Amino acid sequence: MGHVRRLLTRPIVMAVLVVGILAVGVGVYWFQPWKLWVDETVRESAPVSAGNPGAPSGGVRTLAAGELISHEHTTSGRVRILQLPDGSRTLRLENLDTSNGPDLRVLITDAPVKQGRAGWYVFDDGAHVSLGKLKGNKGDQNYALPAGLDLNRYTSVSIWCDRFDVSFGAAPLEPTRA
């Protein structure tokens, strides 16, 4: 016991212990491992027209849609771009199911959606717009699109981990026929 006490009173040993404890604290904050076991489910209703809220579509049109594929984490669900009667547009995630993680965002981008590791890192390379933090890793959620966003230029959506610059999953946006 005396040997351990003498060792702990040495300045270099104390410095190494303090640095080690700080490193563990920073690592826990950075990686947020508890999020792997915590799901956040969001159940937002699809937007409807204020003039006819009881109607199923309420005059809302689907402009583009796509199915999410998995990248860094298993991800599934559907993405739709909806246009409301007032001209505003919303990106809607439906039946989203992905892992939770630190600093997840919804990006609309000009990057092509690629299968496998080739698609993990491309979504912040070119033109992209962050629609905000992912509200939950499961369920249905809506994100307002900026006015004037050119859907001919922005052709994909990514569930993007900004902390580690990696796509959890992505979907190509295919225009729908009116």
Side-chain angles (χ1 to χ4, degrees):
M1 184 73 166
H3 180 67
V4 173
R5 184 172 295 170
R6 278 193 305 267
L7 189 62
L8 289 176
T9 60
R10 298 181 76 182
I12 189 71
V13 172
M14 288 305 292
V16 168
L17 282 173
V18 168
V19 168
I21 290 169
L22 285 173
V24 167
V26 167
V28 167
Y29 171 77
W30 190 253
F31 287 97
Q32 298 178 356
W34 59 89
K35 288 202 169 188
L36 292 174
W37 296 281
V38 176
D39 289 327
E40 296 177 38
T41 302
V42 175
R43 297 276 183 228
E44 291 183 332
S45 298
V48 294
S49 169
N52 192 4
S57 67
V60 176
R61 291 184 337 147
T62 300
L63 301 177
E67 295 292 327
L68 288 161
I69 65 164
S70 298
H71 280 147
E72 170 70 8
H73 292 260
T74 301
T75 302
S76 63
R78 184 162 177 74
V79 178
R80 292 193 305 149
I81 303 288
L82 305 174
Q83 183 170 21
L84 282 65
D86 66 3
S88 64
R89 296 174 298 175
T90 297
L91 183 139
R92 178 158 172 81
L93 300 175
E94 297 175 323
N95 300 314
L96 174 66
D97 188 0
T98 191
S99 298
N100 207 339
D103 206 15
L104 294 180
R105 309 273 171 171
V106 178
L107 298 185
I108 187 164
T109 79
D110 67 349
V113 175
K114 299 176 184 175
Q115 293 282 346
R117 289 183 67 93
W120 286 17
Y121 305 104
V122 300
F123 295 99
D124 67 343
D125 293 345
H128 63 280
V129 175
S130 175
L131 302 179
K133 288 188 175 257
L134 187 68
K135 297 173 186 175
N137 63 308
K138 296 188 179 299
D140 307 317
Q141 44 206 280
N142 304 312
Y143 298 86
L145 291 175
L149 184 81
D150 183 1
L151 292 179
N152 292 317
R153 180 177 186 196
Y154 295 94
T155 57
S156 62
V157 171
S158 173
I159 306 302
W160 184 255
C161 180
D162 215 25
R163 173 102 14 110
F164 296 105
D165 290 328
V166 67
S167 174
F168 275 32
L173 292 172
E174 299 293 332
T176 57
R177 297 182 182 181

